[in-house]
Amino acid sequence: MSGENILKTYKQLHISQEYNSFIPINVDSKYINTYVILFQAIRLSALLHDVGHPLFSHVTEFALKDVWKIINEINKENRTERQEKYID
């Protein structure tokens, strides 16, 4: 299917009432289908982004940086093997 035919198909889609609360009032009616498609693409992107992370991973990033700073301040000769691996 050519790009032009795909756009015609999208323009003919009926948007259900449940999306009305997500569509800003300043979106022109001829762009509502495009807006809903982009809205759903962004939602899907956010979900797929989170699939690649363990639970609470964004929160733990800060804690891990703090641990790295603390271990990095320890003199290299006094670090345990585990601490060295963490720094590496």
Side-chain angles (χ1 to χ4, degrees):
M1 190 182 278
S2 72
E4 188 174 309
N5 289 336
I6 291 172
L7 286 176
K8 286 180 184 176
T9 303
Y10 286 143
K11 288 179 182 179
Q12 295 171 0
L13 289 175
H14 173 72
I15 303 300
S16 65
Q17 286 295 114
E18 64 191 32
Y19 285 103
N20 286 343
S21 62
F22 297 114
I23 301 171
I25 58 173
N26 61 344
V27 174
D28 193 331
S29 61
K30 66 182 177 182
Y31 298 119
I32 287 178
N33 286 356
T34 304
Y35 179 87
V36 170
I37 290 166
L38 289 173
F39 179 80
Q40 289 293 46
I42 291 168
R43 289 180 66 200
L44 182 59
S45 297
L47 286 171
L48 290 176
H49 166 82
D50 288 337
V51 166
H53 294 289
L55 294 176
F56 306 112
S57 65
H58 289 297
V59 174
T60 58
E61 287 172 5
F62 298 107
L64 293 174
K65 286 178 186 177
D66 290 342
V67 170
W68 186 88
K69 287 178 186 177
I70 291 168
I71 293 173
N72 200 38
E73 290 175 358
I74 298 172
N75 194 351
K76 194 168 186 167
E77 298 86 41
N78 297 332
R79 288 185 201 152
T80 65
E81 185 179 335
R82 187 174 179 188
Q83 289 170 333
E84 274 300 315
K85 283 183 182 179
Y86 187 82
I87 292 296
D88 288 339

